[in-house]
Amino acid sequence: MSKPVIIALDWDAFYCSVEEHFDPRLRNVAFAVRQKGIVCTCNYAARALGVKKLQSLAVALKTVSDLIVVNGEDLSRYRDASKELWMFVRKMVWGGKVERLGLDELFLDVSDMIEYNLEFLRESQYDDFFFRLSRDDETGFSCTSAAVAGLYATQNMPDLTTEDGLRLILASQLCQHVRSRIFTEKGYTSSGGISTGKVLAKMAGAVHKPNVQTVLDPVFASEFLKEKDIGCIPGIGRKYRANILNSVYGSVDDVDASVDAIIRLVDETKLIGLFGDFLGKKIYHLLHGTDTTPVNPTPDIPTQISIEDTFGSLKTLPDVRSVLHELMTLLYERMQIDLMSFGTWTAHARTIRLSLRYRAAAYGVRTSKSDAVPSVIYSAAEKEEIVRAVVNKTLMPLFHKLVAEPRFDLALLNVAVVNIEKQPAFAEITGFLGKRQRVNDETELPKRIEFETEDGDDEDDDEEGYQTCEICGQRSLRFAVEAHRRFHEPE
Ligand code: DCP
Ligand code: MG
Ligand code: MG
């Protein structure tokens, strides 16, 4: 069995690109998109001037005093653009094997498209040939197998003399074609990564940005990974990084967190001891570039949407309430991404479920209770109000039904919506991306948002109540910080 061929796409400065579609004059200026006091992203012109993603707005304005700032708190236009781009790309991939990750990333499993086209390449004696995008008609594009389209992640290009190398070279041509169609037909630039797994493809795609694609032959995976901090491997992240470093060095500070160092010190057995069988093996493969998690095509409407968090120990009702508030906020945002199109709920979830695991319970043993999804979720009320209502009227009562005793000690909370049905009234709505908003040249660019911050150097704690954990860097709402801090405490 040959290895799968995966393309990862990530839209460049995504929220900025969406804003530029609404106001094309933004294309020519440095600007940032803000949410609360944070620059959630900025365009590449602003990055060239020193503005950074996820910087506090106060700091960004110190760097570029006349920075244009656009309010990005209403996610609906980003959600709609994201969905439209996903649908567009999905039509180009056989079997619709496209998985969405968040709003701006896609994984395409193009293995069978590449396999089929390898034959035509052989027929053409490994010369220029016609890449067929369809089995039934003659759509496709001319390409050459002699060179990689785009750049490569290490010093070496894929080996043209091996079948795996050839597959990646064909996939790079396909990726180029897909990206160029996205640009010409939808007006979005993207960065692409091409490899034999999702994680390697995603990491390769991040090497050269923006509007560039990068190939990584897995033969060079260990060379590619060896100097990287283990925390930048998607799927490891800060939490597991801290666990690994603490177990190896007894500290997370001033230690060698490179992949090379860690794989010398930690073998598979040790990782299984730290994280359990499933996660331990997964982390082992992530560190060795051999993760084989398949592309899981995102359905039009998911069967369930679920958000959870784990804790060292969660013991008090106020902590439970604050965690539920955080989880419900994330769940509501996910529901909006997955179940809304162009401002309309195209599907409703009927049931909401709260699950938990006691600290003393065996791994995988959960208890849960469900209730009807309250109608407030689909109302026009503000997010904060909706979340508060669901926590108070549905989730806390469910929690009390699940946990009758005054003393408890929890290791996991999960909130999910299930029983998701398409709204019968929903008719296909065509998108806005093809249309450019008419702009009156007389109108001015968006005014800089007047935004007062206490003198802006304190990036750790913003006035909206977020605080950054000094141990792992996670941003939590202030009321959740206590619960989060306890997570770091030794048991
Ligand atoms: N985003 C956010 N908060 C975060 C991370 C991202 O609101 N903590 C939003 C803003 C981004 C979008 O998600 O536009 C996609 O995130 P990326 O990390 O892919 O960043 P960009 O697409 O903006 O830039 P890049 O060109 O680096 O991919
Ligand atoms: Mg992006
Ligand atoms: Mg991204």
Side-chain angles (χ1 to χ4, degrees):
M1 263 282 281
S2 52
K3 293 193 178 78
V5 186
I6 311 294
I7 295 175
L9 295 178
D10 184 311
W11 314 129
D12 296 325
F14 180 53
Y15 289 8
C16 294
S17 301
V18 177
E19 294 298 339
E20 286 169 14
H21 278 77
F22 280 90
D23 190 343
R25 291 163 307 162
L26 287 167
R27 287 176 206 278
N28 306 314
V29 297
F31 76 101
V33 177
R34 73 153 179 96
Q35 282 169 352
K36 302 187 171 131
I38 302 287
V39 170
C40 65
T41 192
C42 51
N43 66 356
Y44 279 82
R47 292 182 205 189
L49 299 175
V51 180
K52 295 194 170 65
K53 290 197 282 189
L54 304 182
Q55 192 167 47
S56 91
L57 187 58
V59 172
L61 288 171
K62 271 188 194 158
T63 313
V64 179
S65 59
D66 59 350
L67 185 70
I68 303 275
V69 180
V70 176
N71 182 341
E73 277 165 26
D74 177 1
L75 300 183
S76 50
R77 52 174 66 175
Y78 313 135
R79 279 198 299 267
D80 294 341
S82 165
K83 204 169 270 186
E84 191 165 341
L85 290 168
W86 163 47
M87 299 287 181
F88 181 76
V89 171
R90 197 169 64 165
K91 279 195 230 140
M92 285 188 265
V93 178
W94 292 4
K97 288 188 202 157
V98 178
E99 177 177 343
R100 291 175 91 186
L101 180 66
L103 286 180
D104 99 322
E105 283 165 48
L106 297 176
F107 293 105
L108 290 56
D109 182 337
V110 295
S111 313
D112 42 6
M113 297 178 85
I114 298 298
E115 203 58 44
Y116 181 73
N117 278 282
L118 264 178
E119 262 184 54
F120 301 109
L121 177 68
R122 290 187 194 110
E123 274 171 21
S124 79
Q125 309 277 316
Y126 298 89
D127 213 346
D128 288 359
F129 80 110
F130 191 73
F131 191 108
R132 283 158 175 79
L133 289 168
S134 158
R135 284 194 172 104
D136 309 324
D137 61 39
E138 288 296 291
T139 57
F141 58 94
S142 295
C143 70
T144 169
S145 64
V148 167
L151 304 174
Y152 16 102
T154 61
Q155 300 291 322
N156 318 65
M157 69 179 282
D159 186 349
L160 274 165
T161 61
T162 67
E163 290 264 303
D164 278 349
L166 267 183
R167 282 191 180 86
L168 290 172
I169 288 168
L170 295 201
S172 75
Q173 311 271 348
L174 174 60
C175 181
Q176 185 78 53
H177 174 80
V178 169
R179 288 177 51 247
S180 101
R181 275 198 63 191
I182 298 164
F183 180 65
T184 48
E185 295 178 45
K186 297 290 175 187
Y188 279 75
T189 65
S190 55
S191 295
I194 303 111
S195 193
T196 50
K198 288 199 289 189
V199 171
L200 290 183
K202 181 180 159 86
M203 291 183 79
V207 174
H208 304 287
K209 290 172 82 135
N211 200 15
V212 186
Q213 60 175 60
T214 307
V215 180
L216 173 57
D217 188 325
V219 171
F220 308 117
S222 58
E223 182 192 333
F224 174 70
L225 290 172
K226 69 180 179 195
E227 279 165 22
K228 302 222 176 324
D229 188 298
I230 56 168
C232 59
I233 298 179
I236 294 190
R238 289 190 167 136
K239 197 159 146 178
Y240 298 146
R241 176 186 188 271
N243 279 2
I244 294 169
L245 296 184
N246 275 324
S247 84
V248 175
Y249 301 113
S251 162
V252 294
D253 299 317
D254 302 323
V255 294
D256 185 352
S258 67
V259 170
D260 204 27
I262 298 303
I263 60 178
R264 282 172 207 276
L265 296 165
V266 191
D267 61 8
E268 192 169 5
T269 316
K270 173 134 188 173
L271 287 166
I272 291 171
L274 273 177
F275 297 105
D277 191 59
F278 177 78
L279 203 52
K281 284 184 178 152
K282 182 165 175 75
I283 291 176
Y284 176 85
H285 285 295
L286 288 173
L287 290 170
H288 289 81
T290 49
D291 183 57
T292 53
T293 310
V295 169
N296 185 13
T298 305
D300 277 351
I301 291 184
T303 50
Q304 66 163 319
I305 308 171
S306 155
I307 304 279
E308 67 186 28
D309 205 355
T310 51
F311 324 93
S313 171
L314 187 70
K315 288 182 172 169
T316 71
L317 280 176
D319 287 349
V320 167
R321 181 183 291 276
S322 73
V323 169
L324 288 178
H325 192 285
E326 250 187 300
L327 293 178
M328 191 58 224
T329 304
L330 293 171
L331 181 66
Y332 179 68
E333 287 169 359
R334 275 284 309 281
M335 288 175 73
Q336 288 186 310
I337 291 172
D338 292 347
L339 310 183
M340 274 187 118
S341 278
F342 302 96
T344 310
W345 289 96
T346 54
H348 279 186
R350 302 284 171 209
T351 308
I352 186 163
R353 186 183 64 206
L354 176 67
S355 311
L356 55 83
R357 189 173 78 231
Y358 288 99
R359 195 147 79 99
Y363 190 80
V365 176
R366 299 178 180 197
T367 49
S368 55
K369 284 236 178 285
S370 305
D371 200 349
V373 168
S375 57
V376 66
I377 284 208
Y378 305 113
S379 73
E382 290 291 319
K383 175 167 80 181
E384 183 58 28
E385 193 184 324
I386 290 171
V387 169
R388 211 174 317 118
V390 179
V391 170
N392 290 339
K393 298 199 179 127
T394 307
L395 293 177
M396 285 309 289
L398 279 176
F399 181 81
H400 289 301
K401 278 191 204 162
L402 273 169
V403 180
E405 321 79 52
R407 293 170 71 86
F408 54 82
D409 192 358
L410 305 179
L412 173 143
L413 279 174
N414 172 303
V415 185
V417 285
V418 296
N419 253 330
I420 299 175
E421 291 167 8
K422 214 166 190 163
Q423 286 290 89
F426 174 62
E428 282 296 322
I429 304 170
T430 52
F432 63 80
L433 299 186
K435 304 179 208 125
R436 294 281 154 88
Q437 193 199 29
R438 264 187 54 195
V439 180
N440 176 356
D441 283 335
E442 300 298 307
T443 55
E444 287 174 21
L445 276 168
K447 286 268 185 304
R448 205 185 89 187
I449 314 287
E450 291 312 321
F451 191 80
E452 303 291 327
T453 42
E454 297 134 46
D455 200 60
D457 283 338
D458 185 5
E459 283 183 73
D460 285 338
D461 194 346
D462 67 54
E463 88 304 348
E464 293 293 342
Y466 281 90
Q467 208 164 314
T468 303
C469 172
E470 62 281 14
I471 300 168
C472 71
Q474 178 178 308
R475 279 182 79 232
S476 307
L477 286 161
R478 196 175 293 141
F479 54 68
V481 165
E482 260 311 300
H484 179 82
R485 189 167 295 142
R486 264 195 291 282
F487 153 73
H488 288 292
E489 280 170 12
E491 295 189 11

